[in-house]
Amino acid sequence: MSTVSESFATALRLITQADTALFSIAGLSLQVSAVACALGAVVGLALGAWLAVATFPGHRVVIWALNTLLALPSVVVGLSVYLLLSRSGPLGALGILFTPTAMVIAQSILILPLITALSRRLVLDGLREGGDQLRSMGAGPLLSALLLLLHQRFAVLTVLLTAFGRAVAEVGAVMIVGGNIDGITRVMTTAIALETSKGDLPLALALGLVLLGVVGIINLVIGLVQWRGGAPQEALA
């Protein structure tokens, strides 16, 4: 109990004193995850919309592979990106291994299947309800899918916030490709792992509480978005 109480005190002190190191680590965590989420959204939303309306040989296999990738281990993503960006890898000439850019790439790959699968499901549900109306107005399959995503913007925002929550709490991939370099690639999750290995449990728990607070805020925003998105429908009912 003393360790837990000490960690709460440490966390409170670091936050109230606006500790530079803490806010630098937290800021980098949010920055990397936000950029990764933006990149994942650009590709994932378009890919999910296309998969919802596309018909081609092997479509079921692609969907099966997509659903399988939802459980993609982060360390596998980290290792794959490491091999690509290492000096002997095909993209080694870029020299971006052990940089925030490499961490963004790893997190983008990690959350891409999540955004794609959930956006595809949103489009399929939307087509069942309003697909005929869109087709009667002359909209093609892909345009209909994109319009449905725009119409369900609150649900899309929930998907993106969910992906952001997974990205900001990820440790395996960013540890491998970022190297946990102090002041350069150290984020909250890797800092927690480092402090735990050093035996500084109060600081590790303090960082964990800060990370939990960030995730809690994300979940609160998701709840508010869902409530905001459902409020007009409830009012009409």
Side-chain angles (χ1 to χ4, degrees):
M1 291 300 294
S2 60
T3 301
V4 175
S5 60
E6 185 179 352
S7 68
F8 274 101
T10 301
L12 183 60
R13 184 175 70 255
L14 291 174
I15 295 173
T16 55
Q17 294 179 356
D19 182 77
T20 303
L22 174 65
F23 279 87
S24 175
I25 292 172
L28 181 60
S29 297
L30 298 176
Q31 178 184 347
V32 168
S33 299
V35 175
C37 192
L39 293 176
V42 171
V43 179
L45 292 176
L47 185 58
W50 177 71
L51 285 176
V53 297
T55 54
F56 55 87
H59 182 267
R60 290 182 179 273
V61 176
V62 173
I63 300 304
W64 169 82
L66 175 63
N67 293 332
T68 301
L69 290 176
L70 290 173
L72 183 64
S74 61
V75 290
V76 173
V77 174
L79 179 59
S80 301
V81 175
Y82 179 90
L83 293 175
L84 287 174
L85 300 180
S86 63
R87 290 188 176 183
S88 59
L91 301 180
L94 297 177
I96 59 175
L97 188 63
F98 302 134
T99 67
T101 302
M103 298 162 66
V104 168
I105 294 173
Q107 286 194 1
S108 299
I109 295 174
L110 185 66
I111 65 175
L112 180 59
L114 176 64
I115 296 176
T116 302
L118 293 180
S119 60
R120 173 181 171 271
R121 178 49 53 188
L122 284 178
V123 172
L124 288 176
D125 292 341
L127 287 173
R128 277 194 287 268
E129 297 178 4
D132 292 337
Q133 182 179 1
L134 288 171
R135 283 189 289 270
S136 67
M137 297 172 63
L142 184 56
L143 179 58
S144 298
L146 295 176
L147 288 174
L148 284 171
L149 286 180
L150 181 62
H151 176 69
Q152 301 184 74
R153 54 191 178 277
F154 290 109
V156 170
L157 182 56
T158 300
V159 170
L160 298 183
L161 287 172
T162 302
F164 180 83
R166 182 179 183 185
V168 78
E170 197 281 321
V171 59
V174 296
M175 179 76 81
I176 294 174
V177 303
N180 197 22
I181 304 173
D182 188 17
I184 300 178
T185 60
R186 182 165 297 169
V187 293
M188 284 187 287
T189 51
T190 59
I192 292 170
L194 175 65
E195 297 303 330
T196 301
S197 66
K198 290 166 56 179
D200 194 347
L201 297 183
L203 180 55
L205 284 172
L207 289 166
L209 291 173
V210 174
L211 177 60
L212 185 62
V214 172
V215 176
I217 292 173
I218 293 172
N219 287 328
L220 177 61
V221 173
I222 290 176
L224 291 174
V225 168
Q226 291 175 337
W227 174 81
R228 177 66 179 84
Q233 299 176 0
E234 293 174 0
L236 291 175

